[in-house]
Amino acid sequence: MRKGNPMNETSEKILEILERQSGPISGEKISEMTGITRSAVWKNINELKELGYSIESTKSKGYELKESTPKLLPHEIKKYLKTDFIGKDIRYFKNTPSTTWVAKDLCSKKDAENFNGTILIAEEQTGGVGRLGRAWFSPSGGIWTTIILKPTIPIDKLFFVTMSASIAVARTIRRMYDIGALIKWPNDIYIGDKKVSGILLELAAEADQIHYCLLGIGIDANIKPEDLQCSLQTPITSLNIEIGHDIDRAKFLATMLGEFERRYKLVEEGEYKAISREWKSLSLTLEKRVRITTPRRTFEGEAIDLDEYGALIIKKDNGKVERILSGDCTPI
Ligand code: BTN
């Protein structure tokens, strides 16, 4: 078994044969094409079935792929992925405390440079981490992923990496489902007045040098209303609720990674203005009256701009202008 891939190479070869074939194909033919015995074919077919592929087997005709798996397997994502480096290495976990922890562990063992663009995916997280140290509820059906990145930009421009991710998630929802998703500062994706996705960037750096950063993206994709864990502070929704049915998570994730990579490259080229312009055009926060909550205080004012470091500029009722770098911001 390859690391982080629940599908062995032989099963993957057989799956590719079944995917190319229209109609059934005999075990004997697959055995000829792969150079393994018929009983090994049968064993691998059973492994594919266990991974969620619906394969019909009949004694007279052989095997036929009826339906793909609903799991977010690397093989499924790669079918749609059109990136240069993001997601070339995908590591899948059925269940893990947090993909961010797995990524941290990976980067601490070897030079993190080797993992630039690697993504970790979990079907379910038992200890998902959100912004400001909050717990992030991550049941199966969501998209829980961490992208390992080694950006070559100044540390004070890092917010542009999260901005690129927020834009990518919002754009993917808009393009694939024609739903007006927007970005709530700093990096939450909203549909109407409900949160559907959150983004968290963790950084390992020293002085002015970035060792790596971990971009965690959580999307409530195929989660039914009864399985969502709502809090009073943040009303939430899922793509399943908004669209009325489950989405193809592999296609969504691959599309989103493509949208992200395109903008991430712009950030690396120093095209901050282009990113800022697009972020502002998708903002749910700007030109709104908002309540700002930081660990020390709460106040209200108008969100008038975003500065070149990603700080939110608030004009308070007394006319004073403040820069907010972290905290919660709620349109009121
Ligand atoms: C937020 O608080 O809005 C940010 C949530 C980020 C959640 C993602 S899910 C994948 C990755 N693993 C985690 O434990 N957290 C991030």
Side-chain angles (χ1 to χ4, degrees), residues 97-101 125 127-132 134 136 138 143-146 187-188 195 197-200 216-219:
S98 158
T99 51
T100 301
W101 293 3
Q125 296 185 125
V129 192
R131 230 164 48 81
L132 306 171
R134 292 173 186 141
W136 181 263
S138 326
I143 299 175
W144 322 122
T145 184
T146 295
N187 34 51
D188 292 342
K195 177 165 169 171
S197 165
I199 292 162
L200 176 69
I217 305 177
I219 302 162

Side-chain angles (χ1 to χ4, degrees), residues 38-96:
R38 279 176 62 185
S39 74
V41 170
W42 177 81
K43 192 173 152 275
N44 280 282
I45 292 274
N46 280 341
E47 284 183 19
L48 287 170
K49 285 184 185 171
E50 265 169 39
L51 287 174
Y53 290 92
S54 157
I55 300 170
E56 199 175 80
S57 352
T58 48
K59 268 211 175 111
S60 53
K61 292 184 190 150
Y63 303 106
E64 183 175 1
L65 178 64
K66 289 289 183 185
E67 225 178 299
S68 191
T69 177
K71 295 202 167 88
L72 204 44
L73 299 181
H75 176 84
E76 295 305 310
I77 299 163
K78 287 190 173 171
K79 279 202 296 209
Y80 301 105
L81 198 64
K82 293 195 190 94
T83 52
D84 288 338
F85 77 102
I86 293 197
K88 290 292 160 199
D89 178 4
I90 303 178
R91 307 208 178 185
Y92 170 91
F93 302 84
K94 196 165 169 268
N95 185 303
T96 188

Side-chain angles (χ1 to χ4, degrees), residues 24 58 186 219 223 249 279 305 312:
T58 48
I219 302 162
I223 304 182
R249 290 182 303 156
W279 190 96
D305 205 0
L312 190 64

Side-chain angles (χ1 to χ4, degrees), residues 78-299:
K78 287 190 173 171
K79 279 202 296 209
Y80 301 105
L81 198 64
K82 293 195 190 94
T83 52
D84 288 338
F85 77 102
I86 293 197
K88 290 292 160 199
D89 178 4
I90 303 178
R91 307 208 178 185
Y92 170 91
F93 302 84
K94 196 165 169 268
N95 185 303
T96 188
S98 158
T99 51
T100 301
W101 293 3
V102 182
K104 259 186 212 163
D105 191 46
L106 205 58
C107 291
S108 68
K109 285 192 181 127
K110 270 198 196 160
D111 189 352
E113 220 149 287
N114 299 326
F115 298 111
N116 190 25
T118 294
I119 72 169
L120 296 306
I121 293 171
E123 211 63 72
E124 197 177 335
Q125 296 185 125
T126 48
V129 192
R131 230 164 48 81
L132 306 171
R134 292 173 186 141
W136 181 263
F137 181 59
S138 326
S140 72
I143 299 175
W144 322 122
T145 184
T146 295
I147 310 176
I148 303 174
L149 295 165
K150 171 117 179 119
T152 50
I153 56 170
I155 289 190
D156 63 7
K157 294 292 186 196
L158 264 182
F159 189 71
F160 284 86
V161 175
T162 39
M163 281 166 97
S164 302
S166 308
I167 297 170
V169 175
R171 282 277 181 236
T172 307
I173 296 174
R174 296 172 88 93
R175 292 207 170 124
M176 287 182 72
Y177 314 113
D178 202 13
I179 292 176
L182 291 171
I183 306 165
K184 184 171 89 65
W185 186 90
N187 34 51
D188 292 342
I189 313 306
Y190 269 61
I191 296 177
D193 57 1
K194 297 192 179 107
K195 177 165 169 171
V196 69
S197 165
I199 292 162
L200 176 69
L201 188 81
E202 287 201 25
L203 173 70
E206 212 175 279
D208 205 18
Q209 206 205 336
I210 300 174
H211 292 314
Y212 59 85
C213 60
L214 306 176
L215 180 67
I217 305 177
I219 302 162
D220 289 327
N222 295 339
I223 304 182
K224 303 216 160 58
E226 58 273 24
D227 298 328
L228 272 183
Q229 206 177 60
C230 279
S231 79
L232 281 177
Q233 276 169 325
T234 316
I236 52 179
T237 188
S238 71
L239 292 175
N240 169 293
I241 295 171
E242 298 299 324
I243 296 161
H245 56 79
D246 276 355
I247 62 152
D248 181 338
R249 290 182 303 156
K251 192 171 181 183
F252 182 93
L253 179 58
T255 310
M256 190 275 283
L257 293 174
E259 296 279 352
F260 171 68
E261 187 184 86
R262 198 150 59 80
R263 291 167 179 93
Y264 180 78
K265 284 180 175 171
L266 286 177
V267 172
E268 291 232 290
E269 286 160 16
E271 298 286 342
Y272 306 122
K273 280 206 175 116
I275 300 296
S276 187
R277 212 177 303 126
E278 191 174 13
W279 190 96
K280 285 180 186 178
S281 76
L282 291 168
S283 167
L284 178 73
T285 310
L286 293 181
E287 292 166 27
K288 294 255 165 65
R289 192 167 169 79
V290 294
R291 180 175 306 117
I292 300 292
T293 312
T294 72
R296 282 181 295 120
R297 64 203 173 117
T298 298
F299 65 92

